[in-house]
Amino acid sequence: MKTISTLLLTAAIASISLPVNAYGIYGIGNKPCSLWTSERANTVMDNENINWILGFVTASARAGNRVYNLNAGQMINWIDKYCTLNPEWFVYDSAGALVGEMEKQLE
């Protein structure tokens, strides 16, 4: 009986499929833009959040995305505007949109 239970459990686990591009999103990236906006007044959290965005852009460039040469202040202003207009979207979405806009500037 134990063997049958083990086989059924193994089959159930094996049948779970993840999307081809499944990956984890950590830090502020998996939080809504409304949180980004509200934490802008908190210096400690704001610094961590800004560093997350800068790291995302750096990683995107390292992964082969062509990113337009903006300074950190310009990037954060862009994210501020995006998150103000789209509070229900995730910060990850705003960072991806920023990279997309930066790539368009190079076309």
Side-chain angles (χ1 to χ4, degrees), residues 41-107:
N42 179 332
T43 304
V44 173
M45 292 309 299
D46 188 43
N47 287 337
E48 288 182 22
N49 296 346
I50 288 170
N51 286 329
W52 191 94
I53 295 294
L54 299 178
F56 182 94
V57 172
T58 300
S60 295
R62 179 72 173 105
N65 295 53
R66 296 174 29 208
V67 293
Y68 183 73
N69 191 21
L70 294 177
N71 67 42
Q74 292 169 313
M75 286 186 250
I76 299 312
N77 286 336
W78 196 97
I79 297 292
D80 285 342
K81 290 175 188 171
Y82 184 97
C83 282
T84 298
L85 294 172
N86 303 287
E88 72 285 353
W89 287 78
F90 286 88
V91 175
Y92 171 83
D93 298 316
S94 70
L98 170 63
V99 169
E101 284 298 312
M102 293 169 82
E103 286 183 311
K104 284 181 189 175
Q105 296 296 321
L106 294 172
E107 293 177 350

